[in-house]
Amino acid sequence: MRAHAPGPQDIGTRDDPHAQARRARHQPLLLHSMALFREIFEIVFAHRDIRTVVEVGVESGAVSGMYAELGASTVYCIEPRPTDELRATLAGNEALRLVTTPSPRAFTELPVADLYVLDGDHNYATVHRELEWILTHAPDATVVCHDLLWPCSRRDLYYQPSTLPPEDRNPAGTDGPTVWHDELTPAGFVGMGAFTSSTRAGGDSNGVLTAVEDVLRRFGDDPWHLELVPAIFGMGVLVRRASTHCSSLMRDLRPYSGSGLLAAMENNRIALYTRVLQLQHEAAVHARNADRMADTISAQCREIDTLTAERASPRIRHERGGRAPREIAVHFAGVLRRAVRGMWRRSPR
C-alpha cells in the first residue's frame, strides 16, 4: 500500500481554496514522528518479508500499529516507562507487545527480528550498543535509525533521569542547541527538564550519526549500506550489502535520500523553528521585564501619592523641608528614567 499522492483534499480547489491551509494548521509546529516516514517504510516492507519488528522508543503507539498495518504479525514495543494511555493503546492491538526492559538488554529476551527501529535515547553510548548488538546477532535484519541529523547527529541528548553511567555521558546542560550559533542557549531546543544536551558538539563518542559510523566501521569496509533520508531530523536505513534485496531497496530509496530539495527544506524547517524558539524566549524575558517595570512604577506611584499628600499639608511640608511641586516632578522623572534603563539592560540582544 503506497501513500496517496496529494489530491484536492490536500491542495484545494477553486471551490475549496483553503484545504491546504486547513491541513497545515492541524499539523504540529514541530514535525517529529516516525509516522511521517510511512512512504519509506512502505518501500522497506515491499522489498522484504517482514513479520517481526522490534521498536525502540514508542510514541503514542500509532507508529507501532503502522508496522502491523504494513504486514508485521508481531511488533515488540520497547518502552521502559509506558504511560497508562500507551498501555491501553497497545493492549487494543493483538499484534503489539509491550516490553518494559530497556534496550539493548531487551534484545536478548526477544526473538531475532526482521526489522529493528531505533528511536529511543538519542546519544552515542545507547545507539552504539543497540546497533552493535543488532549487527552481531541479527545480520539479516533491516535497521532503521532516527535522528541522524541536527540536533543529535553530532551532539548527545540525554533523557532525564538518564540510565547511563557517568563515564558514558558527555558534560551536559539544560540549555539547548540552535542553528543560529554553535553554543547552547536557553533560547534553543530545550527539554524543559525532560532532557539535557551535550555542552559540546562533534568529536569522538558524541552523537547518533557518529555512533552509526563507528559501528559500521567496526564491521568492516563494506558489509553494510546506509541510506540517509534528509528529512524530519534524518532517517537512516541500514541493510547488509550481501542481502538479495539490498540493491533494489537502495535504488527505490535514493529519490528520497538523494533529494537536495528535501535537504534544503529540512534546513529551512529547523532554522525557522529555532527562530520561533528564540522569539518565544525573548517575549518571555520582555514579559518578565514588563512585570518588574509595573511593580516599580506602582511603588513609585505610591511614593508620589505620599509626596502629594505632604504638599497638601502645610504642617507636614514644614516638618519635611517643604518639597515644592517642581521637586516632586523632577523626582518622578528620575524614577521613570531608572526604571526604563533597568528594563533595557535586562532585555535580550
Side-chain angles (χ1 to χ4, degrees):
M1 180 174 62
R2 304 287 293 185
H4 67 79
Q9 71 275 21
D10 301 300
I11 61 178
T13 65
R14 64 185 64 191
D15 297 319
D16 183 17
H18 305 298
Q20 183 181 0
R22 286 198 304 274
R23 291 183 68 86
R25 62 176 170 258
H26 286 106
Q27 290 274 23
L29 184 61
L30 178 67
L31 298 178
H32 66 278
S33 174
M34 288 288 276
L36 295 162
F37 291 106
R38 184 183 181 104
E39 291 176 55
I40 307 301
F41 282 110
E42 287 174 348
I43 293 172
V44 172
F45 274 77
H47 281 272
R48 63 165 303 175
D49 184 29
I50 294 176
R51 295 298 176 186
T52 305
V53 177
V54 171
E55 177 190 30
V56 180
V58 184
E59 297 174 344
S60 63
V63 182
S64 311
M66 179 183 71
Y67 307 132
E69 291 174 10
L70 294 175
S73 56
T74 306
V75 181
Y76 294 101
C77 308
I78 299 177
E79 181 53 67
R81 294 183 290 273
T83 63
D84 291 339
E85 290 79 9
L86 178 59
R87 288 182 182 274
T89 298
L90 298 184
N93 188 329
E94 63 180 10
L96 310 183
R97 314 281 179 83
L98 177 63
V99 179
T100 56
T101 304
S103 69
R105 182 159 54 91
F107 296 164
T108 65
E109 303 172 1
L110 301 173
V112 171
D114 303 307
L115 172 66
Y116 288 84
V117 181
L118 305 183
D119 191 24
D121 285 352
H122 308 323
N123 56 71
Y124 180 94
T126 301
V127 174
H128 192 282
R129 288 170 184 164
E130 291 172 341
L131 195 57
E132 187 175 46
W133 189 97
I134 295 168
L135 269 57
T136 300
H137 297 95
D140 296 325
T142 298
V143 186
V144 169
C145 300
H146 196 206
D147 294 277
L148 297 188
L149 295 180
W150 187 95
C152 297
S153 58
R154 307 298 180 183
R155 188 193 296 272
D156 275 358
L157 180 150
Y158 307 105
Y159 284 107
Q160 299 300 313
S162 176
T163 58
L164 291 172
E167 61 270 19
D168 285 340
R169 301 196 301 263
N170 290 306
T174 56
D175 288 353
T178 179
V179 303
W180 299 103
H181 53 76
D182 297 338
E183 296 76 26
L184 298 183
T185 168
F189 194 73
V190 298
M192 304 297 289
F195 61 79
T196 59
S197 296
S198 172
T199 54
R200 68 177 178 92
D204 295 331
S205 303
N206 196 11
V208 175
L209 183 56
T210 305
V212 172
E213 291 171 344
D214 285 355
V215 173
L216 293 182
R217 189 176 299 114
R218 177 182 179 274
F219 278 79
D221 294 332
D222 207 31
W224 287 82
H225 183 84
L226 168 65
E227 206 72 24
L228 174 57
V229 179
I232 319 296
F233 299 127
M235 173 191 188
V237 180
L238 292 93
V239 63
R240 199 173 182 87
R241 289 184 183 274
S243 64
T244 57
H245 58 276
C246 178
S247 59
S248 59
L249 173 59
M250 296 306 164
R251 180 197 63 221
D252 286 354
L253 288 177
R254 203 143 293 135
Y256 296 91
S257 62
S259 173
L261 175 62
L262 277 182
M265 292 174 68
E266 176 68 2
N267 288 341
N268 181 248
R269 185 180 80 99
I270 61 176
L272 291 175
Y273 184 70
T274 52
R275 178 59 177 150
V276 168
L277 293 180
Q278 181 182 352
L279 292 172
Q280 289 176 336
H281 178 75
E282 291 175 356
V285 172
H286 281 302
R288 289 194 296 270
N289 288 341
D291 288 342
R292 295 191 194 101
M293 179 74 164
D295 291 342
T296 300
I297 291 175
S298 178
Q300 296 304 323
C301 284
R302 290 193 296 272
E303 182 179 344
I304 289 171
D305 289 342
T306 301
L307 293 172
T308 302
E310 291 177 4
R311 185 171 64 88
S313 169
R315 182 180 60 82
I316 296 177
R317 189 169 65 246
H318 174 74
E319 291 176 354
R320 299 197 176 177
R323 279 190 177 180
R326 176 177 173 77
E327 293 177 279
I328 296 173
V330 170
H331 176 76
F332 184 44
V335 168
L336 286 178
R337 281 196 299 273
R338 289 194 297 273
V340 170
R341 285 197 212 102
M343 185 174 68
W344 174 252
R345 283 195 298 270
R346 292 188 292 267
S347 297
R349 300 293 194 269

